[in-house]
Amino acid sequence: MGKKLRLTTAQALVKFLNQQYIHVDGRETPFVEGIFTVFGHGNVLGIGQALEQDAGHLKVFQGKNEQGMAHAAIAYAKEKLRQKIFAVSTSSGPGSANLVTAAATALANNLPVLFLAADTFATRQPDPVLQQLEQEYSIAVTTNDALLPVSRYWDRVTRPEQLMSSLLRGFEVLTDPVKSGPVTICISQDVEGEAFDFAESFFQKRVHYVDRLQPSERELEAAERLIRSSRKPLILVGGGVKYSEAREELSAFSKEFGIPLVETQAGKSAVESTFANNLGGMGITGTLAANKAAKMADLVIGIGTRYTDFATSSKTAFDFENTKFLNINVSRMQAYKLDGLQVVADAKVALSKLHDRLRGYISEFGPIIPELKTEWNTERERLGRIEFKRSGFAPEIKGHFTQETMNEYADALGTEMAQTTALIAINDSIDKDSIIVSSAGSLPGDLQRLWTAEVANTYHLEYGYSCMGYEICGALGIKLAHPDREVYSIVGDGSFLMLHSELITAIQYDHKINILLFDNSGFGCINNLQMDHGSGSYHCEFRTKDNRIMNIDYAKIAEAYGAKVYRANTAQELKTALEDAKKQTTSTLIDMKVLPKTMTDGYDSWWHVGVAEVSDKESIQRAYQRKVEMLKKSKPY
Ligand SMILES: Cc1ncc(C[n+]2csc(CCOP(=O)(O)OP(=O)(O)O)c2C)c(N)n1
Ligand SMILES: O=C1C[C@@H](O)[C@H](O)[C@@H](O)C1=O
Ligand SMILES: [Mg+2]
């Protein structure tokens, strides 16, 4: 049966990772770029030994927190359009438990990442080994079972030879645009070091071909008919457009047929914001332009989108009585959404084939598109010039805080800067090809509305899971994918506190990231949510026991790690800091104190959240009634 190579399981694993290639549009490239590790007793002597002996082309990085390094890996794969990945190696027990949040983040976003989670002993000899859980109902259960529901593919390797079938199954999933997501392979810690005579053929170069999924003639005919019968079609641009690299086809299609584009968080910057037909983000965190266009549309062409509640304003964004849906998606499951006509195909191919068939068609949106765009640009300009006043100030989020409380914040944080003003100043100052990243809090909403991405693929939002802590760790992954570009992490104080571990990794390995920290001393957006729904301000502001607003010197924290830091509490200070930060070779952090309630509010949108049906507060009862009324107007499924 051919030549054998005597290797440990971990050595075989590393050798295999070095031989995986992906083939897309005639380009063939190595698929696994490297591996992040936090070593513990579960992996240091197995995978650690194998990497030390011969890592091959794999770049090895020491992470600081398993979730953090996994976020970096996920962000890397997203930037590489799922055509290159990092693996992540953890120890058993708490090390792998720390992966659960990151695995869910990858799963929600359909992003490939290989998790190599060490497991308890296959022999069970040192039972229980340190960090092993003991369940009375089963000795077979380990912490790694918690990764099963958050993995696209999950396996447990308890004998060396199982590695072969496990990896082949795993790489099929990692390289499939439809199934793409986290692949978790748990390897018993004793098995990592056990030797086996592996067939040499297993380590031959293996190419994973990703062919573009073609639409059928039937699908194209039906789609053509539907578009031709529509007067005002609208294209909802999802993340699938980016992965399909369909920017040119989409712009040409939109331009020729006069069809406006609106974007999801994942789809934003697939086509640059300055494109004449691009009306920007749609839905709960969308622009007025996009949300108005959505109401006018009689056909929504969803391309590479999952139609989440944010993109659809909890199924109230469209005129569901009269609007039809046409869904172009590689995933049949996604193409079924909202009872749409399904074109189960790659976006780039489907758009170019439909383009040929639709010649002569023109939508009736015509001058409405520039009108909506101009109206929104005027609003955006206003939001960029918000000035705080000590009396009579009406912030964007109205009716929550009194002027007295706003003044208290201004004094406690030593600032008068509004969040929208700061964000637009940043947008105006940084290089156009820089990449920004964010994921949770009030900033994603502001960004989806206000950020002008003049260069395609420069907007990186993790909003499938909206996981606090992704912002900074993700920035490292983006920098690894684009070492020649500036990367800016746009992050709230709450998210910074949740997780910023890989800032240290970025500093350690000289991969410069820039952190733009918006400190409003609290979980601002959740405070808005509770107060919008009739509750008081309850445990969302960062106040001490004696009710003082906390003012934390975040710059000092980052400085201690070795970052170059700035404090900026006016738009001018911010611009000066940004200019200086560009000149630095090390990572930077700009600590901005911003006033609460100065983020953007909703624009013709509604979010369905759980509200107490009975309560002792009239304001909550009113909020519940509002919800009941809104639900009457929403599509029920
Ligand atoms: C890991 C995680 N835990 C909890 C949440 C729920 N959550 C969403 S936003 C938020 C507060 C964010 O605060 P901050 O980062 O300061 O942003 P702000 O809203 O103040 O701009 C919380 C707790 C989440 N998205 N992710
Ligand atoms: O609950 C949430 C509210 C959203 O506004 C926020 O961006 C998100 O992070 C979240 O979890
Ligand atoms: Mg905050």
Side-chain angles (χ1 to χ4, degrees):
M1 283 297 287
K3 209 175 148 202
K4 305 277 186 202
L5 293 179
R6 189 152 182 83
L7 299 168
T8 67
T9 307
Q11 289 159 3
L13 165 72
V14 172
K15 201 171 177 58
F16 177 92
L17 297 184
N18 270 282
Q19 291 292 60
Q20 305 311 302
Y21 288 75
I22 192 162
H23 185 116
V24 183
D25 291 345
R27 297 184 308 257
E28 192 173 290
T29 45
F31 185 59
V32 186
E33 175 75 357
I35 181 162
F36 282 100
T37 65
V38 171
F39 288 134
H41 69 91
N43 58 345
V44 70
L45 304 175
I47 289 179
Q49 186 283 329
L51 288 169
E52 186 189 18
Q53 182 171 299
D54 186 6
H57 74 242
L58 300 185
K59 294 179 181 148
V60 185
F61 292 104
Q62 172 201 77
K64 299 295 165 294
N65 169 294
E66 290 84 359
Q67 181 187 332
M69 67 181 178
H71 283 324
I74 294 164
Y76 178 86
K78 185 170 164 113
E79 279 305 312
K80 289 289 183 186
L81 306 177
R82 310 194 291 198
Q83 296 170 20
K84 223 181 224 306
I85 64 160
F86 262 88
V88 174
S89 162
T90 72
S91 192
S92 52
S96 59
N98 270 354
L99 279 186
V100 174
T101 312
T105 306
L107 189 68
N109 288 280
N110 299 317
L111 288 168
V113 58
L114 176 62
F115 292 133
L116 301 164
D119 220 331
T120 51
F121 275 72
T123 61
R124 297 184 179 165
Q125 185 279 330
D127 175 38
V129 64
L130 177 71
Q131 299 167 329
Q132 182 176 328
L133 307 174
E134 290 192 285
Q135 290 282 16
E136 291 189 354
Y137 65 84
S138 172
I139 195 174
V141 167
T142 77
T143 299
N144 286 339
D145 289 278
L147 288 161
L148 181 58
V150 286
S151 296
R152 192 77 78 195
Y153 171 76
W154 181 98
D155 197 9
R156 170 169 279 141
V157 171
T158 56
R159 293 173 60 99
E161 59 269 45
Q162 288 174 346
L163 183 77
M164 295 179 281
S165 53
S166 189
L167 283 173
L168 293 180
R169 292 278 302 273
F171 273 75
E172 184 271 316
V173 172
L174 286 167
T175 54
D176 179 347
V178 181
K179 296 200 286 273
S180 182
V183 162
T184 302
I185 300 184
C186 317
I187 312 179
S188 305
Q189 63 168 287
D190 47 346
V191 175
E192 279 181 38
E194 264 174 40
F196 181 76
D197 292 319
F198 287 92
E200 194 183 35
S201 58
F202 177 64
F203 304 107
Q204 278 168 7
K205 176 176 171 180
R206 188 169 268 109
V207 182
H208 304 270
Y209 290 88
V210 184
D211 293 329
R212 292 182 178 273
L213 191 57
Q214 304 289 319
S216 72
E217 196 52 28
R218 177 193 59 76
E219 289 174 319
L220 289 170
E221 249 176 47
E224 180 190 346
R225 219 175 310 122
L226 195 54
I227 298 174
R228 284 197 184 278
S229 68
S230 153
R231 298 165 69 154
K232 288 209 182 85
L234 175 85
I235 294 176
L236 177 59
V237 185
V241 175
K242 280 190 185 168
Y243 299 131
S244 166
E245 301 179 72
R247 172 185 164 271
E248 277 164 32
E249 288 73 11
L250 180 56
S251 325
F253 190 91
S254 160
K255 202 168 167 185
E256 178 156 352
F257 308 122
I259 305 179
L261 307 181
V262 297
E263 307 162 306
T264 69
Q265 286 280 20
K268 187 172 164 91
S269 89
V271 171
E272 50 279 22
S273 317
T274 40
F275 174 64
N277 287 353
N278 191 349
L279 296 179
M282 110 139 256
I284 293 162
T285 48
T287 69
L288 188 59
N291 288 344
K292 277 189 176 178
K295 285 268 185 267
M296 295 175 201
D298 60 1
L299 173 67
V300 176
I301 307 172
I303 310 181
T305 175
R306 298 186 298 130
Y307 289 107
T308 69
D309 66 337
F310 261 68
T312 65
S313 287
S314 299
K315 301 200 173 104
T316 55
F318 307 107
D319 170 11
F320 283 99
E321 291 292 307
N322 301 301
T323 305
K324 296 197 167 73
F325 290 83
L326 162 60
N327 301 330
I328 301 173
N329 208 302
V330 285
S331 156
R332 197 158 182 264
M333 178 186 118
Q334 299 301 344
Y336 263 68
K337 296 270 177 81
L338 298 177
D339 285 338
L341 175 78
Q342 304 125 33
V343 174
V344 182
D346 171 77
K348 190 182 176 91
V349 177
L351 279 167
S352 95
K353 293 205 165 175
L354 272 173
H355 197 139
D356 291 341
R357 302 178 77 114
L358 279 168
R359 304 260 180 226
Y361 172 81
I362 188 82
S363 99
E364 289 179 16
F365 264 108
I368 300 173
I369 303 174
E371 274 164 31
L372 288 173
K373 211 166 157 90
T374 307
E375 183 190 17
W376 176 251
N377 283 342
T378 309
E379 172 66 351
R380 183 181 180 275
E381 271 168 37
R382 182 188 71 78
L383 291 162
R385 281 186 271 103
I386 302 286
E387 283 184 15
F388 178 67
K389 293 199 283 287
R390 289 275 165 172
S391 68
F393 178 66
E396 289 310 295
I397 309 295
K398 297 185 178 48
H400 291 186
F401 285 176
T402 60
Q403 178 78 50
E404 201 185 357
T405 306
M406 292 299 293
N407 293 351
E408 186 192 356
Y409 267 97
D411 292 338
L413 297 179
T415 190
E416 298 199 341
M417 189 155 65
Q419 180 161 310
T420 55
T421 307
L423 208 51
I424 290 174
I426 293 166
N427 202 172
D428 290 345
S429 304
I430 65 174
D431 295 344
K432 303 300 173 207
D433 70 345
S434 312
I435 299 172
I436 60 150
V437 51
S438 193
S439 61
S442 65
L443 286 160
D446 283 3
L447 286 167
Q448 202 194 1
R449 292 190 182 102
L450 302 180
W451 196 259
T452 302
E454 287 187 39
V455 174
N457 292 353
T458 52
Y459 181 90
H460 180 128
L461 239 294
E462 185 286 289
Y463 220 59
Y465 212 48
S466 188
C467 185
M468 293 169 77
Y470 179 91
E471 300 92 337
I472 293 171
C473 306
L476 170 61
I478 298 170
K479 187 65 181 180
L480 291 174
H482 302 288
D484 301 332
R485 288 156 81 170
E486 291 287 352
V487 177
Y488 294 90
S489 169
I490 299 192
V491 62
D493 49 327
S495 274
F496 180 89
L497 290 172
M498 187 81 73
L499 184 65
H500 59 262
S501 54
E502 304 323 305
L503 164 59
I504 294 135
T505 312
I507 292 170
Q508 176 181 8
Y509 292 105
D510 268 344
H511 292 292
K512 179 192 177 190
I513 59 171
N514 303 286
I515 298 171
L516 306 176
L517 174 55
F518 285 72
D519 177 12
N520 55 13
S521 197
F523 296 147
C525 69
I526 307 300
N527 182 258
N528 293 349
L529 188 63
Q530 66 184 178
M531 298 190 79
D532 271 343
H533 290 82
S535 294
S537 181
Y538 184 71
H539 286 277
C540 282
E541 297 176 69
F542 293 172
R543 286 182 183 266
T544 57
K545 243 166 64 180
D546 56 354
N547 210 31
R548 279 178 299 110
I549 294 163
M550 295 182 81
N551 182 345
I552 297 167
D553 191 350
Y554 291 103
K556 206 168 184 176
I557 298 175
E559 190 168 37
Y561 295 145
K564 169 81 180 166
V565 300
Y566 308 85
R567 293 175 182 83
N569 290 347
T570 65
Q572 193 45 53
E573 284 173 2
L574 179 54
K575 285 182 178 173
T576 308
L578 285 165
E579 284 313 315
D580 197 73
K582 282 186 206 171
K583 296 182 198 137
Q584 305 302 321
T585 51
T586 191
S587 292
T588 70
L589 179 141
I590 304 179
D591 181 348
M592 289 166 275
K593 306 299 179 196
V594 292
L595 292 169
K597 309 294 172 190
T598 60
M599 59 284 278
T600 55
D601 202 354
Y603 286 88
D604 277 3
S605 62
W606 178 67
W607 189 23
H608 185 184
V609 283
V611 185
E613 190 169 353
V614 291
S615 78
D616 53 10
K617 263 192 165 179
E618 217 183 286
S619 50
I620 297 180
Q621 290 160 14
R622 274 200 304 275
Y624 184 77
Q625 279 317 313
R626 265 205 312 274
K627 168 184 154 123
V628 171
E629 290 308 310
M630 282 310 291
L631 277 175
K632 286 183 195 156
K633 296 186 222 162
S634 71
K635 187 174 163 67
Y637 67 95

